[in-house]
Coordinates of all heavy atoms in Angstrom, one line a residue:
Q121 N 154.9 170.7 77.3 CA 155.4 171.9 78.0 C 156.2 171.6 79.2 O 156.1 170.4 79.7 CB 154.4 173.0 78.2 CG 153.4 172.6 79.2 CD 152.4 171.6 78.9 OE1 152.0 171.5 77.8 NE2 152.1 170.6 79.9
Y122 N 156.8 172.6 79.8 CA 157.5 172.2 81.2 C 156.7 172.3 82.3 O 156.8 171.4 83.2 CB 158.6 173.4 81.3 CG 159.4 173.4 82.6 CD1 160.3 172.4 82.9 CD2 159.1 174.3 83.6 CE1 161.0 172.4 84.1 CE2 159.7 174.4 84.8 CZ 160.7 173.3 85.1 OH 161.3 173.4 86.2
S123 N 155.7 173.2 82.4 CA 154.9 173.4 83.6 C 153.6 172.7 83.6 O 153.1 172.4 82.5 CB 154.7 174.9 83.9 OG 154.0 175.6 82.9
T248 N 153.7 174.6 71.3 CA 152.4 174.6 72.2 C 152.1 175.9 72.7 O 153.0 176.6 73.2 CB 152.7 173.5 73.3 OG1 152.9 172.2 72.7 CG2 151.4 173.4 74.1
G249 N 150.8 176.1 72.7 CA 150.3 177.3 73.4 C 149.2 176.9 74.4 O 148.4 176.1 74.0
R250 N 149.2 177.5 75.6 CA 148.2 177.1 76.6 C 147.7 178.3 77.3 O 148.5 179.2 77.8 CB 148.8 176.0 77.6 CG 147.8 175.5 78.6 CD 148.5 174.7 79.7 NE 149.5 175.4 80.4 CZ 150.4 174.8 81.3 NH1 150.6 173.4 81.2 NH2 151.3 175.5 81.8
F251 N 146.4 178.3 77.6 CA 145.8 179.3 78.5 C 144.8 178.5 79.4 O 144.0 177.8 79.0 CB 145.0 180.3 77.6 CG 144.4 181.3 78.5 CD1 145.0 182.5 79.0 CD2 143.0 181.3 78.9 CE1 144.5 183.4 79.8 CE2 142.4 182.2 79.7 CZ 143.2 183.3 80.1
D252 N 144.9 178.9 80.8 CA 144.0 178.3 81.6 C 143.6 179.2 82.7 O 144.2 180.4 82.9 CB 144.6 177.0 82.3 CG 146.0 177.3 82.8 OD1 146.4 178.4 82.9 OD2 146.6 176.3 83.5
S264 N 146.9 181.7 83.7 CA 148.3 181.5 83.2 C 148.3 181.4 81.6 O 147.2 180.9 81.1 CB 149.0 180.4 83.8 OG 148.5 179.2 83.3
A265 N 149.2 182.0 81.0 CA 149.4 181.9 79.6 C 150.8 181.3 79.3 O 151.8 181.8 79.7 CB 149.3 183.1 78.9
T266 N 150.9 180.2 78.5 CA 152.2 179.5 78.3 C 152.4 179.2 76.8 O 151.5 178.9 76.1 CB 152.1 178.1 79.1 OG1 151.8 178.3 80.5 CG2 153.5 177.4 78.9
A267 N 153.8 179.5 76.5 CA 154.1 179.1 75.1 C 155.4 178.2 75.3 O 156.3 178.5 76.2 CB 154.5 180.3 74.3
A268 N 155.5 177.1 74.4 CA 156.6 176.2 74.7 C 157.0 175.6 73.3 O 156.2 175.5 72.4 CB 156.1 175.0 75.6
E282 N 160.3 177.0 77.6 CA 159.0 177.5 77.9 C 159.0 178.9 78.5 O 159.9 179.3 79.3 CB 158.2 176.6 78.9 CG 156.9 177.1 79.5 CD 156.2 176.4 80.5 OE1 155.8 175.1 80.2 OE2 156.2 176.8 81.7
V283 N 158.1 179.7 78.1 CA 157.7 181.1 78.8 C 156.4 181.0 79.2 O 155.4 180.7 78.5 CB 157.9 182.2 77.8 CG1 157.7 183.5 78.5 CG2 159.4 182.2 77.2
R284 N 156.2 181.4 80.6 CA 154.8 181.3 81.3 C 154.6 182.6 81.9 O 155.5 183.1 82.6 CB 154.7 180.1 82.1 CG 153.5 180.2 83.1 CD 153.3 179.0 83.9 NE 152.3 179.0 84.8 CZ 151.6 177.8 85.2 NH1 152.0 176.7 84.9 NH2 150.7 178.1 86.1
Y285 N 153.4 183.2 81.8 CA 153.0 184.5 82.5 C 151.8 184.0 83.3 O 150.8 183.7 82.9 CB 152.6 185.6 81.6 CG 152.4 186.8 82.2 CD1 153.5 187.6 82.7 CD2 151.1 187.3 82.3 CE1 153.2 188.8 83.5 CE2 150.9 188.4 83.1 CZ 151.8 189.3 83.6 OH 151.6 190.5 84.3

Side-chain angles (χ1 to χ4, degrees):
Q121 69 289 321
Y122 172 75
S123 65
T248 299
R250 180 185 66 197
F251 178 82
D252 50 1
S264 74
T266 304
E282 176 183 291
V283 178
R284 170 174 172 153
Y285 185 76

